[in-house]
Amino acid sequence: MEIIITKNYEEMSKRAASIVFSQVALNRKSVLGLPTGSTPLGLYKYLIEAHKKGYIDFSEVKTFNLDEYFRLDRSDPQSYYYFMMENLVNHINIDTKNVDIPNCMLKDIEKECEDYEERIKAAGGIDLQIIGIGNNGHIGFNEPGEVFSKKTHLVDLKQDTIEANARFFSSIEEVPTQAVTMGIQTIMQSKRLLLIASGLAKAEAIYKIVKGEI
Ligand code: PGA
């Protein structure tokens, strides 16, 4: 594990972008795992900028997203599908058929979870998985203490997660109470993992990840 400490959010985002940049430069057919949230916005901004300058070509890149709200339509601005389109996909030359996000509108969600794992496997696995972390240490929608053996699965969101996410919705009743998330096993199977975190509120979670018990 390598720990990179940067001066501020901008530097963190630039550094993270340079890691993605070299991954894609080394392998045009890279498979990336991507998160949503406020943390990766700077990283996505730098990737878009680099693409516009012609430095990075996403035409053969494949992506898999970490999670998605259950039963929130893809056209809903709060869906993670919508987030990815708005904040990255629509601004780079990635082929949208190579952008994979759990489809939480499918009737048989168990099957979609299994299929998602299969699709990751069929793509050759994730070369570089980027993740954020919640203030309490959650990763994707995996709460701290989740077993490591979990693959992509449907989770019931904890009350504090629902409350934390309510800021993006007009009322707390609109926040989905379930989500599909890659499991810790899915995440740990990635060939490389880049966790990005910024701000005092994340300090304790990062301290525990680095110095604490598993
Ligand atoms: P944030 O979310 O990037 O908006 O802080 C991270 C998370 O909750 O996983």
Side-chain angles (χ1 to χ4, degrees):
M1 178 166 67
E2 185 187 356
I3 300 166
I4 304 168
I5 299 170
T6 58
K7 209 167 63 198
N8 53 33
Y9 178 79
E10 284 304 307
E11 289 300 318
M12 178 200 75
S13 304
K14 262 189 216 166
R15 194 62 200 272
S18 74
I19 292 170
V20 176
F21 187 86
S22 19
Q23 171 66 46
V24 176
L26 284 171
N27 176 9
R28 296 160 54 90
K29 297 186 176 194
S30 288
V31 180
L32 305 177
L34 300 178
T36 52
S38 43
T39 309
L41 285 174
L43 157 66
Y44 294 158
K45 184 187 85 181
Y46 284 116
L47 289 180
I48 293 167
E49 232 176 73
H51 167 68
K52 290 204 165 133
K53 287 183 181 152
Y55 298 151
I56 184 165
D57 173 17
F58 289 95
S59 61
E60 293 185 76
V61 168
K62 266 203 173 93
T63 64
F64 287 93
N65 259 76
L66 201 54
D67 47 14
E68 176 61 288
Y69 282 124
F70 186 57
R71 297 285 182 259
L72 201 56
D73 197 83
R74 289 184 157 185
S75 62
D76 190 306
Q78 297 311 330
S79 75
Y80 290 169
Y81 181 90
Y82 194 97
F83 176 101
M84 290 311 297
M85 294 298 141
E86 284 284 291
N87 293 299
L88 184 66
V89 175
N90 289 345
H91 311 284
I92 58 174
N93 67 332
I94 194 164
D95 185 340
T96 45
K97 75 172 189 314
N98 289 334
V99 176
D100 204 339
I101 300 175
N103 187 346
C104 287
M105 297 306 283
L106 290 178
K107 211 166 165 195
D108 189 347
I109 201 67
E110 302 295 326
K111 182 171 181 307
E112 171 62 357
C113 291
E114 282 165 26
D115 288 351
Y116 198 61
E117 291 287 331
E118 286 307 312
R119 299 202 292 273
I120 294 173
K121 224 185 272 168
I126 293 171
D127 296 305
L128 175 63
Q129 172 75 53
I130 300 150
I131 53 176
I133 188 165
N135 295 354
N136 76 342
H138 68 239
I139 288 175
F141 280 113
N142 299 282
E143 295 297 343
E146 285 265 1
V147 286
F148 273 45
S149 57
K150 280 209 176 145
K151 295 186 177 172
T152 302
H153 61 290
L154 180 68
V155 282
D156 294 328
L157 305 188
K158 285 188 15 187
Q159 190 54 28
D160 53 356
T161 304
I162 295 172
E163 280 163 20
N165 293 355
R167 67 188 193 277
F168 300 112
F169 294 82
S170 32
S171 75
I172 195 159
E173 288 73 39
E174 283 176 29
V175 186
T177 55
Q178 290 180 297
V180 164
T181 184
M182 283 185 188
I184 297 294
Q185 190 187 118
T186 324
I187 294 165
M188 294 299 283
Q189 274 170 350
S190 312
K191 293 165 204 161
R192 288 200 305 157
L193 192 57
L194 172 65
L195 187 153
I196 49 176
S198 172
L200 198 54
K202 303 284 171 79
E204 193 186 343
I206 294 300
Y207 177 80
K208 285 185 176 163
I209 271 197
V210 177
K211 299 276 191 192
E213 285 172 16
I214 289 174

